[in-house]
Amino acid sequence: MTVTAIVGANWGDEGKGKITDALAAKSSYVVRYQGGSNAGHTIINSYGKFALHMLPSGVFDPAVMNVIGPGTALDAEMLLREREELMARGVPEPQLRISERAQLVLPIHRLFDELEEERLGERGFGSTKRGIAPFYADKYAKLGIQVADLYDESRLLQRLEHMLAAKNVLLMQWYGRQPIAARELMPELLEIAEKLRPFTADTSMLLQEAYRNGEHILLEGQLGALRDPDHGIYPYSTSSSTLAGFAPVGAGLPPYAITRIIAVVKAYSSCVGAGPFVTELEGDEADELRRRGGDAGEYGALTGRPRRMGWFDAVATRYGCMLQGATELALTNLDVLGYLKEIPVCVSYELNGAIIKDSFPVTAKLDSARPVLQRLPGWNCDISHIRHFDDLPDAAKQYVYFVESATGVKVASVSIGPRREQLIIR
Ligand code: GDP
């Protein structure tokens, strides 16, 4: 009986989608439990290349039941569009269930996200503008709309009026916009309700039963530990917990159900959006790593924005793995470093004359932290065709051992390319 969480140990974009896709074949359920369409999980398999924003990464295997849990920010339009696009490209119709308790990201959330980033200008947080922060703010202010509300018209209207009473004040006074009437939103929502109807379910009961029956369940995280609102680089964080500890909450499973926590670690660092990023590279060094990284360079899967690049950061990654409670690591993008004769890695931070190694500074101090770099030997060749750990060049093995000693967690799989089959299981 295994419930496995696949989560990011860094800032996101570690390659969780690829690892989930590779493991989905052994699972009965793949579950998204937090976040929304601000995810960008890139998957390359026999059907082609896909960037999934809202659908769980198990959708390429028709035997897998894909679940959108109550903890997610459901962007219904994006989900329905992604599903259509997948099938138009030859993927068999995926099995999909959406929690009736999941809440909906509404156009007004996206509007507020845009207006706020516009208002903040240079001081912005680098939002993906998918409405995620306004959505979660409304959810916790008890203004949100649950999927089940879509199927009770008078309740839906009442909930929208309740939400808009507060939102319209901000819209008019703060952003100088016209107010929105609840009735204006109804036709679109009722149309979406019908399209979602075949998929809505009590997914918590579904997963609880699957758990009791000993089925394999994969809980797929979005973003990474350093974006967690409580433990990460707040306020440059996301609005839902990115930690495996939240996975059973957002999915509707007992906390003790998870027995395996795979923290996905990138062989170097990348980060989208604003915020402190200690190992950040500039100029040619950054450009070269960005150009060679990922499957076609390191650009945001959702926004196309160039990702900020840095060397592997042992301080941040150790902290990320600890917070995730990682029981094993999946080290990704190792192939990317094959162009280097020597590979710099950040082993500690220097902060106001002190060396920081075993803890991660709070955001208020992080801007003053400087990376202390060490150089590891490079392997300086292509390793993307290798399928067995023993066949890796010694320097690549040493790099894996270095990550293990830096994090204190075993690297159980090494990804050496973006494709599903480019995976070494140890
Ligand atoms: P996710 O959100 O964690 O799933 O990560 P993204 O999909 O946003 O970013 C990961 C990027 O790395 C994508 O472009 C993947 O195709 C790519 N990728 C994943 N694993 C590997 C790998 O081992 N090697 C290379 N070269 N690219 C990889």
Side-chain angles (χ1 to χ4, degrees), residues 59-365:
V59 286
F60 299 97
D61 191 331
V64 170
M65 175 61 81
N66 293 278
V67 175
I68 303 285
T72 54
L74 172 62
D75 182 335
E77 280 165 61
M78 178 72 107
L79 176 127
L80 293 164
R81 194 166 62 233
E82 257 177 14
R83 183 177 167 277
E84 291 298 320
E85 278 171 15
L86 235 58
M87 292 193 294
R89 289 178 61 188
V91 177
E93 181 174 355
Q95 295 192 68
L96 178 66
R97 291 290 178 275
I98 299 168
S99 166
E100 56 196 3
R101 285 193 170 81
Q103 295 195 16
L104 291 149
V105 178
L106 300 174
I108 192 163
H109 294 130
R110 284 191 288 272
L111 176 66
F112 267 79
D113 209 349
E114 271 170 34
L115 291 173
E116 186 59 6
E117 279 290 298
E118 207 175 282
R119 187 185 73 82
L120 291 170
E122 297 256 294
R123 293 170 296 132
F125 296 105
S127 166
T128 52
K129 299 185 187 156
R130 302 304 311 168
I132 304 302
F135 164 89
Y136 277 108
D138 281 358
K139 173 170 176 171
Y140 292 111
K142 305 180 189 74
L143 298 173
I145 308 284
Q146 289 190 317
V147 167
D149 296 333
L150 294 173
Y151 304 103
D152 179 339
E153 224 175 300
S154 67
R155 181 182 166 83
L156 179 61
L157 187 62
Q158 193 196 340
R159 293 291 302 156
L160 284 173
E161 279 167 352
H162 180 58
M163 169 191 267
L164 288 166
K167 303 254 94 168
N168 279 334
V169 175
L170 275 178
L171 209 51
M172 292 186 291
Q173 306 293 330
W174 191 240
Y175 297 115
R177 295 289 177 116
Q178 291 298 312
I180 296 173
R183 289 202 178 277
E184 279 174 39
L185 304 179
M186 290 293 283
E188 194 183 328
L189 285 175
L190 293 176
E191 198 183 316
I192 282 179
E194 285 320 304
K195 291 186 182 156
L196 291 183
R197 198 188 280 277
F199 311 114
T200 59
D202 185 340
T203 57
S204 305
M205 292 307 285
L206 185 74
L207 291 176
Q208 290 272 349
E209 198 184 329
Y211 169 63
R212 279 197 301 275
N213 292 338
E215 302 205 51
H216 289 277
I217 301 173
L218 270 189
L219 304 172
E220 181 185 17
Q222 181 224 12
L223 290 166
L226 297 160
R227 298 286 187 193
D228 183 76
D230 292 316
H231 300 277
I233 51 171
Y234 184 86
Y236 304 96
S237 41
T238 191
S239 305
S240 62
S241 177
T242 56
L243 302 183
F246 181 76
V249 178
L253 282 165
Y256 49 79
I258 301 188
T259 49
R260 192 177 172 202
I261 299 172
I262 305 176
V264 185
V265 169
K266 207 162 179 163
Y268 49 89
S269 301
S270 70
C271 161
V272 182
F277 186 37
V278 177
T279 64
E280 182 159 22
L281 295 169
E282 305 286 346
D284 293 347
E285 241 182 340
D287 289 345
E288 173 138 47
L289 185 55
R290 184 180 303 110
R291 186 166 54 76
R292 293 175 178 272
D295 70 288
E298 291 282 358
Y299 297 90
L302 178 64
T303 56
R305 290 183 288 191
R307 289 176 179 156
R308 298 162 68 194
M309 307 301 297
W311 301 123
F312 178 80
D313 182 337
V315 183
T317 307
R318 185 185 302 120
Y319 177 72
C321 291
M322 180 188 80
L323 285 174
Q324 293 293 14
T327 59
E328 64 184 82
L329 305 187
L331 180 66
T332 62
N333 287 272
L334 191 65
D335 54 303
V336 172
L337 299 176
Y339 72 100
L340 293 157
K341 291 211 167 62
E342 278 190 324
I343 308 173
V345 287
C346 167
V347 290
S348 56
Y349 295 167
E350 199 238 285
L351 183 61
N352 301 328
I355 294 294
I356 311 277
K357 205 169 163 232
D358 297 320
S359 60
F360 187 71
V362 292
T363 314
K365 294 188 178 158

Side-chain angles (χ1 to χ4, degrees), residues 381-403:
C381 63
D382 177 19
I383 56 169
S384 61
H385 56 282
I386 294 176
R387 296 291 175 269
H388 300 285
F389 189 77
D390 289 343
D391 297 337
L392 283 173
D394 275 346
K397 285 185 206 158
Q398 293 305 325
Y399 198 87
V400 174
Y401 301 145
F402 164 76
V403 171

Side-chain angles (χ1 to χ4, degrees), residues 13-17 40-42 294-295 307 333 335-336 415-418:
D13 307 325
E14 297 93 349
K16 296 175 293 296
H41 296 172
T42 312
D295 70 288
R307 289 176 179 156
N333 287 272
D335 54 303
V336 172
S415 174
I416 30 71

